[in-house]
Amino acid sequence: IKIDEERTDTLDLINLDCDVNFEEIEEKLEWKYKFEKETLLPIKSTVSKIKQMDNDNIEELFEEENNNQLELIVPNFIEKEKIGSAKKGTLMHLVLQNINFKEKYDLIKVKQLIDDLLFKNKITCEERKVIDEEKIVHFCNSNLFKQISKAKEVYKEIPFCTKVKAKDYFDSEEDTFLLVQGIIDLYFVDEDGKIIIVDYKTDIEKDENILKNRYKKQLEIYKDALEKNSNQKVFKKYIFSMFLNKEIEC
């Protein structure tokens, strides 16, 4: 049998009698990059996604962030299907956004407010039917509403974009930053000149502690963003539960 000379040289280089350190080989094969989680973080996210983040679903979130770049075209026949809870929450926010805090609202005035949105083509007839007028009336009779009505200044639907440290939301050791954007439902400057943030929530949840824990980080982002932009300290942060009809300090 003729053995290729180049192949013979290669075989001569292999020392079959040497001791093999299998532990070292295993260690190298199982090596993982220390900051692997950081490589999975999206560069940019939204407040609504931040509150969903945990250490087990970063990859899913990153994929979702990328997939959302594609515009979703919804056929007309699908739009006419049953309106879900998320859409109902959006409609409730729209009504609250159009409230004039210098006016007093009863059921008749709330109906007029919603009908005006319909007249201006901001909502459809089907959407008009699912808006809970009673909940709007309850809010307009709340202590928080009265407090806002006395405010020096009221700001609604304020967009922002801010940097947050990833380690504040993940098990991360590096000072990696995320760019987060969102919209503050409302903030106002009270009679004493103090800034108060309000975020409307439509969750069907009876336990206010669950709501507080669910949205605590979200309100912290609002606070940090507002303080950076205004150079003033935020005095208080509230979520107003439309389901419980009460403000909850976070």
Side-chain angles (χ1 to χ4, degrees):
I1 300 173
K2 184 178 180 181
I3 301 176
D4 184 77
E5 292 182 2
E6 183 177 346
R7 177 61 180 165
T8 305
D9 293 341
T10 303
L11 290 173
D12 290 340
L13 293 175
I14 302 175
N15 186 355
L16 300 178
D17 296 326
C18 69
D19 293 331
V20 178
N21 190 336
F22 289 103
E23 290 184 1
E24 182 180 353
I25 294 175
E26 184 179 6
E27 181 181 347
K28 289 182 178 180
L29 290 174
E30 294 181 354
W31 178 86
K32 289 185 178 181
Y33 179 50
K34 182 179 179 181
F35 304 112
E36 183 179 0
K37 291 178 181 177
E38 281 78 359
T39 66
L40 301 174
L41 293 176
I43 297 174
K44 185 177 181 181
S45 189
T46 61
V47 174
S48 58
K49 291 194 178 83
I50 285 286
K51 71 181 179 64
Q52 300 171 11
M53 291 182 179
D54 57 51
N55 294 321
D56 297 324
N57 69 352
I58 296 176
E59 290 187 65
E60 294 177 12
L61 183 77
F62 184 66
E63 291 172 1
E64 180 185 352
E65 187 74 24
N66 289 330
N67 291 338
N68 282 342
Q69 300 300 317
L70 299 176
E71 183 179 359
L72 181 62
I73 301 175
V74 182
N76 291 332
F77 70 88
I78 293 181
E79 291 180 345
K80 295 180 181 178
E81 291 182 357
K82 184 179 178 181
I83 297 174
S85 57
K87 181 63 176 179
K88 289 178 182 178
T90 301
L91 292 171
M92 188 73 77
H93 274 75
L94 178 62
V95 177
L96 294 169
Q97 178 186 345
N98 284 273
I99 282 177
N100 183 349
F101 287 96
K102 297 302 179 184
E103 293 187 16
K104 292 184 178 181
Y105 289 89
D106 55 14
L107 185 57
I108 294 176
K109 289 208 69 173
V110 168
K111 287 179 179 290
Q112 291 173 346
L113 172 64
I114 300 173
D115 287 338
D116 187 53
L117 294 175
L118 177 62
F119 178 74
K120 293 177 179 177
N121 293 320
K122 292 186 176 182
I123 59 174
T124 66
C125 292
E126 292 302 313
E127 291 170 340
R128 170 70 181 86
K129 294 175 184 178
V130 302
I131 296 174
D132 194 327
E133 300 163 347
E134 293 288 347
K135 290 190 184 303
I136 303 294
V137 174
H138 288 321
F139 170 70
C140 293
N141 288 296
S142 68
N143 291 327
L144 183 59
F145 184 95
K146 294 173 184 176
Q147 191 176 356
I148 299 172
S149 67
K150 297 177 183 178
K152 291 180 178 179
E153 300 171 50
V154 178
Y155 301 90
K156 303 177 184 177
E157 297 291 307
I158 306 300
F160 69 87
C161 191
T162 188
K163 287 196 306 182
V164 300
K165 286 187 178 181
K167 67 181 181 181
D168 291 339
Y169 302 94
F170 300 99
D171 182 18
S172 172
E173 299 177 4
E174 290 291 287
D175 286 335
T176 307
F177 285 93
L178 299 177
L179 190 62
V180 179
Q181 63 184 20
I183 297 177
I184 301 174
D185 285 343
L186 181 146
Y187 78 88
F188 64 97
V189 181
D190 70 7
E191 295 175 295
D192 299 321
K194 296 175 180 177
I195 296 178
I196 299 172
I197 294 175
V198 178
D199 196 53
Y200 307 121
K201 296 302 177 189
T202 56
D203 307 47
I204 301 175
E205 176 57 63
K206 294 181 179 180
D207 191 333
E208 64 180 77
N209 288 320
I210 291 178
L211 286 172
K212 184 185 295 186
N213 292 330
R214 184 178 297 166
Y215 295 108
K216 186 176 180 180
K217 287 183 179 179
Q218 182 178 345
L219 270 290
E220 277 297 318
I221 293 176
Y222 290 164
K223 173 180 177 291
D224 291 343
L226 192 52
E227 288 182 342
K228 287 176 184 176
N229 291 329
S230 67
N231 291 320
Q232 290 181 276
K233 289 292 183 182
V234 170
F235 179 58
K236 287 185 178 180
K237 311 180 299 295
Y238 290 110
I239 58 173
F240 188 90
S241 168
M242 301 301 292
F243 180 75
L244 296 175
N245 185 36
K246 67 181 298 186
E247 64 267 19
I248 303 168
E249 186 173 355
C250 289

